[in-house]
Amino acid sequence: MTNTRDELETRGPTSGPPPLLRFVAAKLGGGVVSLFLVAVLGFFLFRVLPGDPARTMTRSTPVSAEQLAALRHRFGLDQPLYLQFRDFLLNLLHGDLGTSYIYNRPVAELIVERIGPTVLLGGTATVLAVLVGLWMGTRAAWRQGGAVDRWFTSVGLTLWSVPTFWLGLLLLMALGVGVGPLPGLFPVAGMSSPDVPAGVVARVLDVAHHLVLPCLTLVAVIYAQFMMVMRTSLLEEMGAEYLTTARAKGLREDLVRRRHAVPNALLPTVTLIFLHLGLVVAGAITVETVFSWPGLGLLTYEALRVPDLPLLQGTFIVLAGSVIVMNVLAELIYRFLDPRVRDS
């Protein structure tokens, strides 16, 4: 006892922040570094795209060489690359993403206007994909090897492997335009109709009507990820000793699944949900382009056609940054949810 007390006195009080605080600081610091690297990558990545923005913007108007030079000077395209990079970083530190070439408006304003439709589409699709995926993954695992398991797994993996734009085009033709004598059931483009009646309810229903096809496309592609993770996680839990104990107490099989197995199997799925929230926002470019949904994805596609460098840089930072932010949140939340990780 004396030796132990002497050792503690010799070592002195423990110094440094608690492990949890160090963990949070490390993850937040890593996220900031990743965001900086994304900004640097976004600047240089779009500088190698073919095409001259000045010529593209004036292709329908005859202009002289002096006018083209004046336009390049206006946008700073005549400066050396290192000076453009310096100005980009300084403006970024002040929250200035630059001015769009084609819209002649601040990029930040354009992103704020378009981020709402993207969040609506991506958020709705993620919620539906999570609900469908968790339900199907639970049923497939509990009936492992049966007809339900084989059917759910086969359909899910098939849709997961289909290119998003291709599936969107199929749904657009089948349910939007119509096939043969079957008429189209849903709008094929945009977020709202020009002739929608006045009133909040009518507008909400109109937006929901336009949302069906792009949302269905995203859900069909991504729900299988949640289903397969839930299925695998639940299969690992089904052989645990605490489930045998619960059955020995006389609990029905349905209660064993809902009260004991499913809550423990949800932990990996929770982190996947947060990771996929960022990926859905970034991956909605093709869906928004196919259905002309007025979000960040369509804005990115329009910027690529010029190329509108400030607009491309701004949307790239926001889309890639959403993935990084959700990644950090997933790691933090998982540490708080799982006691095995929290206590390590």
Side-chain angles (χ1 to χ4, degrees):
M1 188 71 179
T2 306
N3 294 335
T4 304
R5 184 167 57 247
D6 293 340
E7 290 177 2
L8 292 175
E9 292 176 355
T10 303
R11 293 176 184 175
T14 57
S15 58
L20 179 59
L21 186 59
R22 290 199 304 269
F23 174 81
V24 173
K27 295 303 177 183
L28 294 179
V32 172
V33 173
S34 299
L35 287 174
F36 173 76
L37 294 177
V38 162
V40 174
L41 176 62
F43 177 85
F44 289 102
L45 177 65
F46 298 116
R47 290 312 190 275
V48 300
L49 290 176
D52 183 355
R55 287 190 177 278
T56 305
M57 286 184 289
T58 58
R59 59 188 170 188
S60 59
T61 305
V63 293
S64 62
E66 290 77 12
Q67 290 174 318
L68 283 175
L71 191 60
R72 293 190 185 97
H73 178 73
R74 173 187 172 189
F75 294 131
L77 298 174
D78 58 343
Q79 295 182 354
L81 191 60
Y82 73 91
L83 290 180
Q84 296 183 43
F85 181 61
R86 181 202 64 185
D87 295 339
F88 167 72
L89 287 182
L90 291 176
N91 293 334
L92 187 62
L93 290 175
H94 291 87
D96 184 7
L97 296 175
T99 302
S100 170
Y101 297 164
I102 55 179
Y103 292 98
N104 197 27
R105 293 177 54 195
V107 172
E109 290 184 5
L110 293 170
I111 291 176
V112 170
E113 290 179 359
R114 299 291 191 98
I115 199 171
T118 296
V119 172
L120 174 63
L121 173 59
T124 304
T126 301
V127 170
L128 293 177
V130 168
L131 294 177
V132 173
L134 295 186
W135 181 82
M136 296 181 73
T138 303
R139 296 302 182 276
W142 217 253
R143 295 169 175 82
Q144 182 186 10
V148 172
D149 182 22
R150 293 194 301 270
W151 172 254
F152 283 177
T153 304
S154 300
V155 174
L157 292 179
T158 300
L159 292 175
W160 193 3
S161 61
V162 172
T164 307
F165 74 91
W166 187 78
L167 180 60
L169 290 174
L170 287 181
L171 293 176
L172 186 65
M173 291 186 293
L175 301 179
V177 178
V179 178
L182 300 177
L185 301 176
F186 301 99
V188 298
M191 186 177 174
S192 60
S193 303
D195 55 348
V196 61
V200 176
V201 176
R203 292 180 180 178
V204 170
L205 292 177
D206 183 58
V207 172
H209 195 208
H210 284 76
L211 183 64
V212 171
L213 287 184
C215 184
L216 180 61
T217 303
L218 281 177
V219 171
V221 173
I222 65 178
Y223 87 90
Q225 302 179 45
F226 302 105
M227 182 190 72
M228 296 305 298
V229 170
M230 186 62 186
R231 177 183 180 277
T232 303
S233 181
L234 189 55
L235 286 176
E236 294 177 354
E237 295 292 333
M238 284 171 58
E241 295 182 357
Y242 68 90
L243 295 184
T244 305
T245 304
R247 293 188 183 97
K249 292 180 178 179
L251 292 179
R252 290 184 291 108
E253 197 69 12
D254 183 61
L255 291 178
V256 172
R257 180 177 68 243
R258 287 191 291 108
R259 293 184 181 180
H260 298 280
V262 171
N264 286 282
L266 278 174
L267 283 175
T269 312
V270 170
T271 59
L272 179 64
I273 292 172
F274 278 88
L275 287 174
H276 202 79
L277 281 173
L279 293 174
V280 165
V281 172
I285 295 178
T286 54
V287 175
E288 291 186 3
T289 303
V290 170
F291 295 98
S292 299
W293 186 263
L296 290 179
L298 184 60
L299 187 66
T300 303
Y301 172 75
E302 294 170 350
L304 279 169
R305 298 170 61 183
V306 176
D308 190 336
L309 298 179
L311 189 53
L312 283 173
Q313 292 164 181
T315 54
F316 179 78
I317 290 173
V318 172
L319 295 177
S322 65
V323 177
I324 294 172
V325 170
M326 290 302 170
N327 193 355
V328 173
L329 285 177
E331 293 185 356
L332 295 178
I333 290 174
Y334 191 78
R335 184 178 177 90
F336 284 103
L337 290 179
D338 194 340
R340 295 169 296 182
V341 178
R342 184 175 62 243
D343 298 336
S344 60

